[in-house]
Amino acid sequence: MQSELRKKLLAAFTESNGEYLSGQYLADLIGCSRTAVWKHIEELRRDGFELEAVRRKGYRIVKTTEKVTADEIRLGLKTSLLGTEIHYEESVDSTQKIAHRLAYDDAPEGTIVVAEEQLNGRGRMDRKWHSPKYTGIWMSVILRPEIPLPRAPQLTLLAAVAVVQSIEECTALSPQIKWPNDILIGGKKVTGILTELQAEADRIFSIIIGIGINVNQQLEDYPEELRGTATSLAIEKGGNLSRAELVRVVLQKLENLYKLYMEKGFYPIRLLWESYAVSIGKQITARTISGSISGKALGITEEGVLRIEDEAGEIHHVYSADIELDS
């Protein structure tokens, strides 16, 4: 019950746009006593929020913490599905692992898991993802779409578009997508996306999308071996960003595209993805488990499969590979 009251309180401050809200107004809105409102206000203060209290006017939030706690994310969040349940941890092995457990326990669609630090973050092909504390966004989102199993990879491409749009909005930078789901700025990786399923042969129970965004890291935060290939939004923009604000924007963009996808199918998502793709129309090499394919990247199919035309004019369909742009 307490968490529901906290949600309502933060929703009220979100809608207030910085205006003062009286204790009586908040009590009536939330459905509790003015004393209970005061207790929640004090709890927010203990959690690092700076609230201004003015007699005969009420309360307003003037400064937030610089974490990505559930309260930080909810303050300003205007989604209807994503982020309705938020599980926050200071340090985790992997947000994906927690999200899998929650999904098995019937967590509602739109539940997110977010952490300040991952000790064993993973990318595609079980590669380690460097996730230092208080610098990036390490988040997993639980979706439960009623779609055929072969369409599941489309959600990875959808998530990539949502992240690109969010970075554009929050930084004015121009990120690009390297198939299928790496986000690059200036040729260096700033975001990785990992999509995993809980499914049977003919039914999807849940799709768990893991999103790792390098936000406020500086060059010295990276291991030596990553400094030539990885970057952060702060490095590229020249200043730190609010991670909680970026989470809110990502959730909003992801929700908008998800609703579009469920209503209109993959075609509009495909067009958006190709508009951001770094490789379309260029010569690339796709390194797969069975060998390498070189040729011109033509685009993606309705299933999200990459199409490459080799020198002989033969078109190859690539389902999983590492992509390199040929110089």
Side-chain angles (χ1 to χ4, degrees), residues 19-160:
E19 298 296 318
Y20 290 96
L21 300 178
S22 73
Q24 189 60 55
Y25 170 82
L26 290 170
D28 293 341
L29 182 71
I30 296 171
C32 65
S33 67
R34 290 184 64 175
T35 300
V37 168
W38 177 81
K39 288 181 179 178
H40 280 288
I41 294 292
E42 290 305 302
E43 286 178 5
L44 285 172
R45 284 191 171 120
R46 284 196 295 272
D47 290 340
F49 287 81
E50 187 176 321
L51 286 102
E52 192 173 65
V54 176
R55 193 175 181 184
R56 300 187 184 279
K57 284 189 175 183
Y59 306 97
R60 69 173 180 172
I61 294 177
V62 294
K63 188 177 180 182
T64 63
T65 73
E66 294 186 0
K67 294 187 176 183
V68 285
T69 64
D71 287 343
E72 278 280 4
I73 293 168
R74 286 196 180 104
L75 182 64
L77 184 64
K78 297 182 179 180
T79 55
S80 59
L81 175 66
L82 301 190
T84 50
E85 294 291 335
I86 301 173
H87 292 259
Y88 166 81
E89 299 286 345
E90 276 275 331
S91 182
V92 297
D93 193 43
S94 161
T95 61
Q96 286 290 92
K97 289 183 180 179
I98 295 175
H100 271 284
R101 176 174 54 77
L102 292 171
Y104 273 122
D105 292 339
D106 295 323
E109 183 175 44
T111 297
I112 74 165
V113 179
V114 62
E116 300 289 0
E117 176 188 42
Q118 288 189 122
L119 300 176
N120 287 296
R122 292 178 296 119
R124 288 175 60 241
M125 302 180 183
D126 267 342
R127 294 191 179 107
K128 185 174 175 60
W129 182 267
H130 188 60
S131 315
K133 203 167 190 178
Y134 303 130
T135 59
I137 292 170
W138 326 121
M139 175 173 71
S140 296
V141 181
I142 299 173
L143 299 177
R144 299 187 185 276
E146 294 184 4
I147 59 173
L149 192 60
R151 288 178 57 187
Q154 296 172 345
L155 274 296
T156 302
L157 306 176
L158 185 155

Side-chain angles (χ1 to χ4, degrees), residues 33-306:
S33 67
R34 290 184 64 175
T35 300
V37 168
W38 177 81
K39 288 181 179 178
H40 280 288
I41 294 292
E42 290 305 302
E43 286 178 5
L44 285 172
R45 284 191 171 120
R46 284 196 295 272
D47 290 340
F49 287 81
E50 187 176 321
L51 286 102
E52 192 173 65
V54 176
R55 193 175 181 184
R56 300 187 184 279
K57 284 189 175 183
Y59 306 97
R60 69 173 180 172
I61 294 177
V62 294
K63 188 177 180 182
T64 63
T65 73
E66 294 186 0
K67 294 187 176 183
V68 285
T69 64
D71 287 343
E72 278 280 4
I73 293 168
R74 286 196 180 104
L75 182 64
L77 184 64
K78 297 182 179 180
T79 55
S80 59
L81 175 66
L82 301 190
T84 50
E85 294 291 335
I86 301 173
H87 292 259
Y88 166 81
E89 299 286 345
E90 276 275 331
S91 182
V92 297
D93 193 43
S94 161
T95 61
Q96 286 290 92
K97 289 183 180 179
I98 295 175
H100 271 284
R101 176 174 54 77
L102 292 171
Y104 273 122
D105 292 339
D106 295 323
E109 183 175 44
T111 297
I112 74 165
V113 179
V114 62
E116 300 289 0
E117 176 188 42
Q118 288 189 122
L119 300 176
N120 287 296
R122 292 178 296 119
R124 288 175 60 241
M125 302 180 183
D126 267 342
R127 294 191 179 107
K128 185 174 175 60
W129 182 267
H130 188 60
S131 315
K133 203 167 190 178
Y134 303 130
T135 59
I137 292 170
W138 326 121
M139 175 173 71
S140 296
V141 181
I142 299 173
L143 299 177
R144 299 187 185 276
E146 294 184 4
I147 59 173
L149 192 60
R151 288 178 57 187
Q154 296 172 345
L155 274 296
T156 302
L157 306 176
L158 185 155
V161 173
V163 172
V164 165
Q165 291 181 339
S166 302
I167 292 173
E168 282 184 326
E169 180 172 315
C170 292
T171 68
L173 295 168
S174 299
Q176 294 178 299
I177 305 172
K178 188 178 82 167
W179 186 86
N181 52 12
D182 286 346
I183 312 300
L184 310 180
I185 298 178
K188 293 185 176 183
K189 187 171 177 177
V190 74
T191 298
I193 298 168
L194 176 65
T195 302
E196 297 177 318
L197 298 179
Q198 292 180 356
E200 290 182 346
D202 60 348
R203 183 188 172 198
I204 293 174
F205 296 114
S206 66
I207 294 178
I208 300 170
I209 302 175
I211 300 172
I213 307 176
N214 298 334
V215 183
N216 290 331
Q217 292 96 325
Q218 296 303 314
L219 194 60
E220 57 269 21
D221 293 322
Y222 291 105
E224 192 70 40
E225 65 270 18
L226 294 180
R227 293 181 184 180
T229 57
T231 190
S232 73
L233 300 181
I235 290 171
E236 299 299 327
K237 185 177 180 291
N240 282 4
L241 286 83
S242 165
R243 291 178 299 136
E245 172 62 18
L246 183 54
V247 169
R248 289 192 289 269
V249 176
V250 169
L251 293 177
Q252 186 67 68
K253 299 289 186 187
L254 187 58
E255 178 169 296
N256 293 346
L257 291 172
Y258 183 55
K259 288 180 177 178
L260 176 65
Y261 171 79
M262 296 305 292
E263 292 173 5
K264 304 292 185 182
F266 184 61
Y267 182 70
I269 308 301
R270 174 187 170 189
L271 293 180
L272 286 167
W273 187 94
E274 289 185 339
S275 73
Y276 290 116
V278 68
S279 56
I280 303 302
K282 296 182 180 178
Q283 294 295 314
I284 67 170
T285 296
R287 304 193 186 281
T288 70
I289 295 174
S290 57
S292 297
I293 302 168
S294 294
K296 182 179 180 181
L298 300 179
I300 56 175
T301 68
E302 275 298 314
E303 290 74 36
V305 176
L306 182 65

